[in-house]
Amino acid sequence: MGSILFMRSIDRFVKVGISGLVFDSMAMKKIFLIQRERNPYKGKWSFPGGHLEFGELVEQGLRREILEETGLKVRVLNGHRFPYEITEIVSKSDKEISSHFLIVTAACVIEPNSSIEAVNEEGIIGKFWKIGPDQTKDPAHLDSLTQNDCLPRLKPIIDLYLARKDLLT
């Protein structure tokens, strides 16, 4: 009697990622972005974040990942009044799905007395970008980033959160 070999790929499941819009304050005049050091989107400006660990709540994971990547302690603003943004990314290679991610994005503000570490745990480059109307064409303004400089949905997600700003008060 022949044996049956069952094969199961451990990569064939949906992975959950988390990312945070890290604002300088409740006034939301600046946002902290990181430059990705790995693919996908290597070299592009992005929100800090990473993978949600098993058993970890979204808010816990965001605080952990942002601290690891930036050295910043944050307060997560999301909840029933300020919903999470969810982005789905499905990658295909040779007509077959190679990866499937759900990215949960939340707004955060930096805790008082928190500062960026000169060298963070993961060696990631990050900086603050000004947001809001730009009359001066400031190179430190978010509007100076082109679509080629950042993740595809970065600016629309920021705009969505800024439009919901009144829900935070």
Side-chain angles (χ1 to χ4, degrees), residues 105-135:
T105 304
C108 306
V109 292
I110 298 170
E111 292 282 3
N113 303 322
S114 183
S115 61
I116 302 164
E117 295 177 1
V119 178
N120 61 48
E121 192 174 300
E122 298 182 9
I124 294 170
I125 296 170
K127 76 178 221 178
F128 280 101
W129 295 85
K130 295 176 187 173
I131 49 180
D134 180 26
Q135 306 300 324

Side-chain angles (χ1 to χ4, degrees), residues 14-163:
V14 178
K15 298 170 185 96
V16 179
I18 46 179
S19 64
L21 282 79
V22 179
F23 293 104
D24 61 328
S25 67
M26 293 297 284
M28 298 181 172
K29 301 271 186 207
K30 295 180 185 174
I31 189 166
F32 191 82
L33 300 176
I34 61 165
Q35 199 165 27
R36 293 183 58 88
E37 62 179 355
R38 295 186 288 237
N39 281 323
Y41 305 112
K42 183 178 181 174
K44 307 277 185 189
W45 289 97
S46 173
F47 306 120
H51 294 282
L52 187 65
E53 294 179 359
F54 183 80
E56 189 174 50
L57 299 176
V58 170
E59 187 173 327
Q60 294 169 326
L62 279 165
R63 287 194 312 262
R64 175 186 51 77
E65 282 289 349
I66 292 168
L67 182 63
E68 287 174 4
E69 292 190 353
T70 69
L72 293 170
K73 293 180 182 176
V74 297
R75 179 169 51 100
V76 180
L77 301 176
N78 288 69
H80 68 284
R81 290 192 46 184
F82 204 65
Y84 295 111
E85 175 68 17
I86 298 175
T87 305
E88 187 169 29
I89 302 170
V90 178
S91 301
K92 294 182 180 181
S93 62
D94 299 328
K95 298 180 183 179
E96 185 175 303
I97 294 175
S98 57
S99 65
H100 189 175
F101 285 90
L102 289 179
I103 311 295
V104 180
T105 304
C108 306
V109 292
I110 298 170
E111 292 282 3
N113 303 322
S114 183
S115 61
I116 302 164
E117 295 177 1
V119 178
N120 61 48
E121 192 174 300
E122 298 182 9
I124 294 170
I125 296 170
K127 76 178 221 178
F128 280 101
W129 295 85
K130 295 176 187 173
I131 49 180
D134 180 26
Q135 306 300 324
T136 63
K137 303 298 178 202
D138 185 340
H141 195 281
L142 188 67
D143 288 346
S144 69
L145 289 178
T146 68
Q147 193 60 38
N148 289 331
D149 296 328
C150 52
L151 293 183
R153 296 230 341 109
L154 184 125
K155 288 185 177 182
I157 289 173
I158 293 171
D159 290 343
L160 179 68
Y161 275 85
L162 290 175

